[in-house]
């Protein structure tokens, strides 16, 4: 007794089992987290070091190299990437995937701490943290107010809105964009300071010593313990005017005698504009594993509540990436429903029996819903890849039920009772059903078990398919026989149906192929050869470009540009883009290259949000129009890209010699401009930034008792104020405000002001120009390092070109082919990920074929016939290639997934033919050709039914319903491959079977002859 017949005789246990599985699935579905991509935890550690005012070259020598060398000794380090800008070093350390994040964090902290004493004393405390928060924000909002000024609005965003949104479950970080921070400014007058024989550093140190609040120990009074606290802080900025400041020589003065005190805001380093109007914005980031849709829903409720509580506030959504995630989710579910309905309609058309159709159709929900429960139990989410997996299998899940129901109906037409027909049919088809299911399982199992970053992303994809297919097998072996036995109409009378015209023509074609075997195989080989030729004509890509409803534009001005210059350029760009149809809002940030990037006054970014899809052209058309306008704007570099994968074309060159590295990068940049399909070609060759160099006269300084540190402190404090940790603070009820001593902005417009700064010495004070040479020089504005070597990135906008094509053309350029020995090409970013995915999928495909062969050998207990079954695989590729060429597609990730899927489906069709042929020969005693023709006659119907059902399930995706560009290449590849492989395998597999069967017979005879001894031969 097998499971199928057991379930017929014992209906209650399987019914109860699937009731529980269905309830678990519904519970899991309601609890699912909805995300764009699976939640991946990379062992990545970030080290942030800050030394305000230090130039990149100084930071590279004194900080970056030392920290990198120390971190390199940590076990499991894969790559070290460093970005150095003025005053800041950001080091990103990537570990091998096997490294636990907690271990990586602890060991990296220890590595930094070991060399802390070797780093500059003024360096702020290093911040070492694990990257547990998504680098991309979920939502960005712009805020304006009719009653609050910019500083008050900025604090409202920081304090009130920050606390509200950080309390939302799943929010990992909240950050303000633009705006200003309140600050007490003490602007010293250099003339008054000189007359009083005082420096700005003296004033800053005196204010810090006076304006403070400090603990003073404990005392016991009246048999009770009291703490002692020294309080010497001003309550208002105006109170600082009369503050007596003690000077080093014993004198003192009122602060307002040497400075102007104002309650203002800190130097602006970033500005945000929405449609040309100054604004304050904020970004919301999700934590790892957060439900993005739930965060967006909670945020929307909070925004509505804030509008009611603060009617003077205007909160405008700038960009919401969750909208795209939700569109993908809703589109996937809609495609799932439509594909299922179409598949059921196809089954009903072929079976023409509403009872049989219901039995077959029930396999879909009974397979998918329990799968949701197991996915939830495994901690999976509903994301692009898990939903893609369900879209892949929607046509497969019904296959086993179709095959069984069709076989049951055929047996009923032989005159058997429903119960007898069901038992005979399910037993007859058992091996075929189990074989087809297990082949699909082992085809996708290697995908689920892939290693590396690819494996992390596609783990949920592979396991979702494996689980759902195994659930469909359970349905086919437990519920389908049970439902057929008790639900199908018991009309047990013999019905002979004459073959139709199509069936007769098909059988005639099979007979012709069996007669002309060599011609048939030659034509099959020719088709495969043409397929390989056509495959070489297809471009290679990563993933199709997506329409996310917005695009990002990065702006870079020459070094030395001010924030006002960047603002002016962003405004010029905005006005130029007003004529582009489809753009709704333009959000610009000056002083930041891009979201999450290191701040730089000469860099800016713009988010261009589009109108709804039904009111504008496609995003590709809008992007093309923008690219036409950007070259008309002088004095800036531009980079236009989406947030999706496959949009980043960049080449990294690394080398020890900056001269060779710069020359190679410049040549490559020039050659890339010659590729017409690339636009906005840029490089990070660090343009020289202007700087004022002060070179002390050591002999003269030593005579006066002046150290280099004295000079540096005096200049730094006079021009930008002391380091933040050393500043005194004004204490308010809910925050502290920095009190900064420095010179006024209008005093810093002339180099003579710097030359005239007074430096304390043994002889009183000395002008800076008397002990140092002051000149205007230059230095790198930014230094990028990769694995402890400098590197340069050359990037470009693809402008509709596939990533694979762009890389292929770039690799053929002379500057790459003839690189100097000291320059190395680094594969990183989308290019590295694309190659890793293609390599992983190629290995998975080969492993899948081997696993399919092993499974078939075990199930058929035969090494020969699995070769017959696998002979249909090459026939599927040609159809996929032709379909992709017709649709002007490319070989990309979704197309590869479709080809892997075809491997399982095509094998399934061959199994149905070969298995029944073997049954005919062994159990019915038929001749080989007779058994082949009988198998074709009996099995063509379920093969065609399952194929058409699969095509119907994929059709909505293939024709682009819902604008789903990501899944479309997969559906096109599957449908094209299904059409050709089904037609050809129904003709080629019978021919291959005859050859393989004949070879098996010859081999068996040879083995028997070898085993017969000479004596036995003589007696014979």
């Amino acid at each position: 007794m097998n499971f199928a017949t057991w379930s017929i005789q014992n209906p209650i246990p399987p019914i109860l089992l699937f009731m529980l599985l269905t309830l678990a699935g519904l519970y899991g579905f309601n609890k699912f987290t909805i995300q764009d991509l699976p939640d991946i935890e990379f062992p990545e550690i970030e080290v942030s070091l800050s030394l305000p005012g230090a130039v990149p070259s100084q930071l590279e020598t004194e900080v970056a190299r030392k920290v990198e060398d120390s971190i390199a000794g940590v076990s499991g380090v894969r790559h070290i990437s460093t970005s150095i800008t003025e005053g800041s070093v950001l080091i990103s350390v990537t570990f091998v995937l096997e490294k636990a994040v907690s271990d990586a964090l602890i060991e990296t902290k220890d590595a930094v701490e070991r060399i802390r004493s070797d780093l500059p004393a003024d360096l702020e405390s290093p911040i070492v943290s694990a990257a547990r928060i998504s680098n991309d924000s979920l939502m960005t909002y712009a805020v304006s107010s009719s009653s609050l000024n910019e500083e008050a609005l900025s604090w409202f965003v920081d304090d009130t809105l920050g606390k509200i949104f950080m309390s939302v479950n799943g929010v990992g970080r909240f950050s303000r964009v633009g705006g200003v921070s309140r600050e007490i400014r003490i602007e010293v007058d250099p003339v008054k300071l000189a007359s009083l024989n005082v420096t700005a550093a003296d004033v800053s140190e005196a204010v810090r010593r006076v304006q403070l609040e400090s603990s003073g120990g404990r005392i016991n009074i009246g048999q009770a313990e009291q703490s002692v606290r020294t309080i010497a802080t001003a309550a208002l900025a105006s109170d600082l005017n009369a503050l007596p400041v003690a000077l080093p020589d014993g004198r003192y003065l009122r602060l307002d005698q040497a400075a102007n005190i104002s309650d203002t805001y800190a130097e602006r380093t970033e500005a945000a504009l929405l449609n040309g109007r100054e604004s304050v914005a904020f970004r919301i980031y999700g934590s790892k594993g957060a439900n993005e849709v739930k965060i967006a829903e909670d945020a929307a409720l909070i925004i509505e509540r804030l509008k009611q509580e603060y009617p003077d506030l205007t909160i405008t959504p700038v960009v919401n990436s969750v909208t795209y995630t939700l569109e993908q989710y809703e589109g996937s579910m809609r495609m799932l429903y439509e594909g299922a309905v179409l598949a059921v309609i196809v089954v009903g058309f072929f079976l023409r029996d509403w009872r049989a159709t219901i039995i077959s159709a029930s396999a879909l929900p009974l397979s998918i819903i329990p799968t949701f429960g197991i996915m939830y139990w495994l901690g999976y989410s509903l994301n692009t890849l898990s939903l893609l997996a369900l879209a892949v299998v929607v046509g497969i899940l019904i296959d086993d039920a179709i095959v069984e129901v069709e076989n049951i109906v055929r047996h009923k037409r032989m005159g058997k009772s429903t119960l007898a027909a069901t038992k005979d049919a399910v037993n007859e088809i058992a091996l075929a059903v189990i074989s087809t299911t297990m082949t699909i399982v082992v085809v996708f199992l290697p995908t689920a078990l892939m290693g590396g970053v690819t494996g992390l992303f596609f783990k949920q994809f592979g396991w979702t398919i494996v689980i759902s297919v195994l659930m469909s097998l359970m349905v086919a072996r437990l519920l389908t026989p049970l439902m057929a036995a008790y639900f199908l109409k018991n009309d047990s009378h013999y019905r002979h149906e004459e073959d139709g015209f199509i069936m007769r023509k098909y059988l005639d074609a099979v007979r012709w192929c069996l007669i002309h075997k060599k011609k048939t195989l030659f034509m099959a080989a020719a088709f495969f050869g043409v397929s390989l030729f056509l495959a070489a004509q297809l471009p290679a890509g990563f993933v199709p470009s997506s329409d996310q409803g917005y695009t990002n534009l990065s702006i870079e001005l020459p070094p030395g540009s001010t924030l006002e210059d960047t603002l002016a350029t962003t405004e010029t760009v905005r006005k130029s883009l007003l004529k582009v149809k489809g753009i709704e809002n333009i959000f610009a940030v000056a002083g930041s290259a891009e979201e999450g990037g290191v701040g730089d006054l000469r860099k800016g970014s713009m988010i261009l949000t589009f109108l709804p899809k039904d009111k504008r052209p496609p995003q590709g058309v809008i992007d093309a129009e923008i690219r036409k306008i950007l070259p008309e704007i002088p004095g800036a570099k531009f980079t236009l890209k989406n947030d999706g994968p496959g949009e980043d074309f960049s080449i990294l060159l690394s080398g020890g010699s900056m001269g060779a590295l710069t020359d190679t990068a410049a040549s490559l940049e020039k050659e890339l401009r010659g590729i017409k399909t690339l636009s906005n070609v840029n490089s990070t060759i660090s343009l020289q930034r202007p700087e004022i160099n002060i070179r002390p006269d050591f002999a003269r300084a030593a005579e006066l008792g002046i150290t280099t540190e004295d000079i540096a402190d005096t200049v730094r404090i006079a021009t930008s104020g002391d380091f933040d940790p050393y500043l005194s603070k004004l204490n308010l009820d809910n925050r502290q405000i920095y009190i900064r001593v420095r010179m006024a902005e209008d005093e810093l417009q002339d180099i003579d002001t710097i030359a005239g700064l007074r430096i304390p010495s043994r002889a009183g004070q000395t002008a800076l120009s008397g002990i140092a040479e002051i000149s205007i020089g230059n230095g790198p504005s930014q230094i990028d390092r990769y694995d402890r070597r400098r590197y340069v990135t050359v990037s470009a906008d693809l402008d509709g070109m596939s990533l694979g094509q762009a890389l292929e053309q770039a690799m053929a350029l002379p500057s790459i082919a003839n690189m100097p020995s000291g320059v190395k090409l680094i594969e990183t970013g989308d290019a590295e990920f694309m190659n890793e995915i293609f390599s992983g999928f190629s290995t998975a495909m080969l492993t899948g074929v081997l696993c399919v062969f092993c499974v078939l050998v075990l199930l058929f207990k035969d090494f020969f016939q699995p070769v017959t079954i696998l002979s249909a695989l090459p026939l599927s590729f040609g159809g996929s290639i032709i379909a992709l060429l017709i649709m002007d597609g490319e070989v990309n990730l979704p197309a590869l997934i479709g080809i892997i899927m075809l491997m399982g489906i095509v094998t399934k069709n061959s199994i149905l033919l070969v298995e029944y042929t073997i049954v005919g020969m062994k159990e019915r005693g038929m001749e080989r050709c007779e058994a082949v023709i009988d198998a074709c006659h009996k099995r063509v119907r379920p093969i065609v039914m399952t194929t058409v059902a699969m095509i119907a399930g994929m059709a909505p995706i293939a024709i682009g319903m819902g604008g789903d560009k990501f899944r479309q290449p997969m559906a096109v590849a599957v449908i094209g491959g299904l059409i050709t492989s089904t037609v050809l395998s129904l003709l080629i597999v019978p021919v291959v079977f005859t050859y393989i069967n004949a070879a098996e017979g010859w081999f068996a005879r040879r083995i028997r002859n070898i085993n017969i001894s000479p004596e036995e031969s003589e007696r014979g």
Side-chain angles (χ1 to χ4, degrees), residues 734-979:
N734 52 0
R735 57 172 164 163
Q736 286 187 321
I737 299 174
Y738 287 130
I739 301 175
R740 189 178 302 275
V741 177
R742 55 167 291 179
M743 293 169 61
E745 286 289 341
D746 54 1
E747 297 287 352
L748 299 174
Q749 306 297 320
D750 190 349
I751 194 172
D752 292 337
T753 303
I754 304 299
L757 288 176
R758 314 296 291 181
I759 310 296
S761 67
R762 282 196 294 262
Q765 287 191 352
T766 302
L768 179 60
S769 58
I771 56 168
E773 178 188 348
I774 303 171
S775 61
I776 296 178
N778 53 55
S781 58
Q782 179 172 332
I783 298 175
D784 297 315
R785 295 169 59 83
Y786 189 81
D787 287 343
R788 296 187 287 171
R789 300 178 71 185
R790 284 193 180 187
Y791 76 87
V792 173
T793 303
V794 182
S795 60
D797 294 343
L798 294 176
D799 199 10
M801 190 181 197
S802 71
L803 180 61
Q805 283 180 301
L807 288 171
E808 183 181 356
Q809 294 189 32
M811 293 302 107
L813 294 174
S815 56
I816 295 292
N818 305 313
M819 277 194 304
S821 57
V823 179
K824 185 173 67 173
L825 183 68
I826 301 174
E827 195 174 78
T828 187
D830 282 352
E832 180 185 23
F833 195 29
M834 182 182 76
N835 290 333
E836 185 175 340
I837 283 182
F838 276 43
S839 174
F841 269 89
S842 300
T843 304
M845 289 171 70
L846 294 175
T847 307
V849 172
L850 179 62
C851 291
V852 168
F853 178 78
C854 294
V855 167
L856 293 176
V857 168
L858 292 173
L859 291 173
F860 281 87
K861 301 176 183 178
D862 189 330
F863 281 92
F864 284 86
Q865 293 312 325
V867 177
T868 305
I869 294 170
L870 293 176
S871 66
L873 286 180
L875 305 177
S876 63
F877 300 143
S880 297
I881 300 302
I882 293 171
L884 288 171
L885 281 172
I886 291 173
M887 298 297 290
D888 196 23
E890 59 187 22
V891 179
N892 51 28
L893 176 58
L896 278 180
I897 293 172
I899 291 172
I900 290 178
M901 179 183 173
L902 274 175
M903 291 167 53
I905 300 170
V906 173
T907 305
K908 170 186 70 67
N909 293 342
S910 299
I911 288 173
L912 292 175
L913 282 177
V914 172
E915 184 268 343
Y916 201 75
T917 303
I918 295 172
V919 169
M921 292 176 62
K922 290 184 177 180
E923 297 182 6
R924 298 186 180 90
M926 294 181 177
E927 292 294 328
R928 183 165 54 217
C929 287
E930 182 186 1
V932 167
I933 294 173
D934 183 62
C936 291
H937 183 248
K938 299 292 195 308
R939 290 291 187 248
V940 66
R941 181 183 174 91
I943 288 175
V944 172
M945 285 175 60
T946 54
T947 300
V948 176
M950 172 65 72
I951 292 174
M954 288 285 177
I957 304 175
I959 62 178
M961 289 180 62
D964 190 350
K965 290 186 176 181
F966 181 79
R967 297 173 180 81
Q968 191 174 21
M970 177 199 71
V972 169
V974 169
I975 290 176
L978 275 177
I979 293 173

Side-chain angles (χ1 to χ4, degrees), residues 564-645:
E564 288 71 23
D565 296 333
T566 309
L567 279 170
T569 303
T570 58
E571 184 62 11
T572 302
V573 173
R574 185 190 69 83
K575 290 178 179 178
S576 300
L577 295 180
L578 290 177
K579 57 187 176 184
V580 177
K581 294 181 179 179
I583 297 179
E584 183 178 20
N585 290 312
I586 299 178
F587 177 71
V589 180
S592 176
E594 57 187 12
E595 183 180 331
V598 179
D600 193 335
L601 296 181
R602 67 187 182 93
K603 295 181 179 180
S605 63
M606 303 180 79
I607 300 176
L608 315 176
T609 56
F610 305 146
L611 294 167
K613 292 181 180 180
D614 57 347
K615 298 180 180 179
R616 61 171 171 85
Q619 180 164 342
V621 175
I622 298 177
D623 287 348
E625 289 296 318
I626 294 172
R627 290 189 178 99
K628 291 178 182 178
I629 293 174
L630 294 178
E632 301 172 0
I633 301 172
K637 293 181 179 180
F638 301 98
T639 302
L640 184 73
K641 66 177 183 178
N642 298 329
D643 285 338

Side-chain angles (χ1 to χ4, degrees), residues 70 193 230 232 280 293 300 303 411 441 478 568 579 598 678 701 863 924 971 975 995 1012 1016:
S70 182
L193 290 181
T230 302
V280 179
V293 174
I303 296 296
H411 275 263
V441 167
L478 290 177
K579 57 187 176 184
V598 179
L678 294 179
F863 281 92
R924 298 186 180 90
I975 290 176
Y995 277 111
I1012 297 175
E1016 291 175 330

Side-chain angles (χ1 to χ4, degrees), residues 972-1014:
V972 169
V974 169
I975 290 176
L978 275 177
I979 293 173
T980 57
S981 65
T982 302
V983 172
L984 294 177
S985 63
L986 286 172
L987 298 173
I988 306 300
V989 170
V991 175
V992 175
F993 177 84
T994 60
Y995 277 111
I996 296 294
N997 185 255
E1000 184 178 13
W1002 176 85
F1003 185 78
R1005 288 193 299 272
R1006 293 285 295 177
I1007 294 296
R1008 283 198 301 270
N1009 291 336
I1010 292 173
N1011 290 334
I1012 297 175
S1013 64

